[in-house]
Amino acid sequence: MTRFVKAVLLVLGMVVAAAPAAAQSEAKRAITKIAGDLYRFQNNFHYSVFLVTGEGVIVTDPINAEAAAWLKAEISQRFNQPIRYLIYSHDHRDHSAGGEVFAEDGAIVVAHERTKEVIIGEQRPTAVPDLTFNDRMTLTLGGKTVELIYVGPSSSDNTIVMHFPAERALFAVDFITVKRLPFRTLSDSYFPHWMDAIRKVEAIDFDILVPGHGQVGVKADAAEHRAYLEALYDGVLTGLRAGQSVEEMKASITLEAYEDWGQYDKWREENIQGMAANISLHRRGN
Ligand SMILES: [Zn+2]
């Protein structure tokens, strides 16, 4: 090996070794206003919201410890208010991790009772909730309100929505996205309860739909997402009853009405595969 080739390999090795650290420190983070004093926080492909009041701030999903530390510093610098409450949308680690960053400063951690059970049971790397509820809870701070509503099993068995009545906004994580397919094979999902959960969202009075992934939308996007799930569910159930294999259904269930939605090319086949597995758990053919 020539000295030159050795030098090139050495440089390549350094670039490869440096890549993971560089990717981590380049997380895309941003804060954008939704309405009034309600803001959206982005950490790469994950989003949460926070509400600023004259008596402190209510934050939601911390996402991870590094993201939460960044958000805590930004809130302190921009709004000069303490963080009083942290609310989890559900237990999944990629949304709930890092809660200790807010809890260690005295924020009260709020979640569904079942979210607390799963956080303890799965040993999620986050703060254990202090305050839990089953159906509904209204939090008020500095004259502002957020309503926490359990809508039944959907893309977990403990997902809640957060309704900000004055801002006419609703934060819904994972089980509703705006003009985008649900994530891959629909792991930890409950059908057809998931569609019932969206119907409960459709009965809430709001205008702005703020999902945990992807673009912000309007209330009508919730019903559109339900219609996609219904088409997927009906297509797969019909295929299974006709004796089709998953591979045959991937070819026949085209869902072409949704071909301009985000992740259609990447996730349609996995959606079919996941739905087939889910329906098969609760079906017995002849
Ligand atoms: Zn998610």
Side-chain angles (χ1 to χ4, degrees), residues 47-50 58-63 71 85-89 95 102 162 164 171:
Y47 295 83
S48 62
V49 301
F50 63 91
I58 300 172
V59 298
T60 63
D61 295 341
I63 303 173
L71 180 61
Y85 290 99
L86 162 64
I87 309 165
Y88 298 136
S89 63
H95 294 269
F102 302 116
M162 305 180 205
F164 299 87
F171 179 45

Side-chain angles (χ1 to χ4, degrees), residues 16 32 50 84 93 206 212 220 228 240 260 264 267 282 284:
V16 170
T32 52
F50 63 91
R84 296 282 188 212
R93 177 187 176 144
F206 71 99
Y228 171 82
L240 288 170
D260 59 340
Y264 173 87
W267 294 348
H282 306 285
R284 198 156 98 177

Side-chain angles (χ1 to χ4, degrees), residues 66-140:
E66 204 182 73
W70 182 87
L71 180 61
K72 185 165 87 170
E74 287 288 319
I75 287 174
S76 168
Q77 192 185 10
R78 294 183 192 211
F79 306 103
N80 193 29
Q81 285 284 348
I83 292 161
R84 296 282 188 212
Y85 290 99
L86 162 64
I87 309 165
Y88 298 136
S89 63
H90 66 302
D91 72 277
H92 292 172
R93 177 187 176 144
D94 62 317
H95 294 269
S96 67
E100 70 280 3
V101 170
F102 302 116
E104 71 195 11
D105 286 354
I108 296 167
V109 185
V110 184
H112 190 267
E113 178 63 30
R114 172 75 182 149
T115 305
K116 179 179 177 177
E117 287 171 22
V118 182
I119 282 174
I120 293 169
E122 300 286 349
Q123 300 182 284
R124 301 283 189 234
T126 196
V128 171
D130 303 302
L131 194 58
T132 61
F133 67 99
N134 274 309
D135 296 322
R136 249 173 199 274
M137 178 185 274
T138 302
L139 272 186
T140 53

Side-chain angles (χ1 to χ4, degrees), residues 46 94-95 173-174 213:
H46 289 73
D94 62 317
H95 294 269
V173 177
D174 289 345
H213 299 279

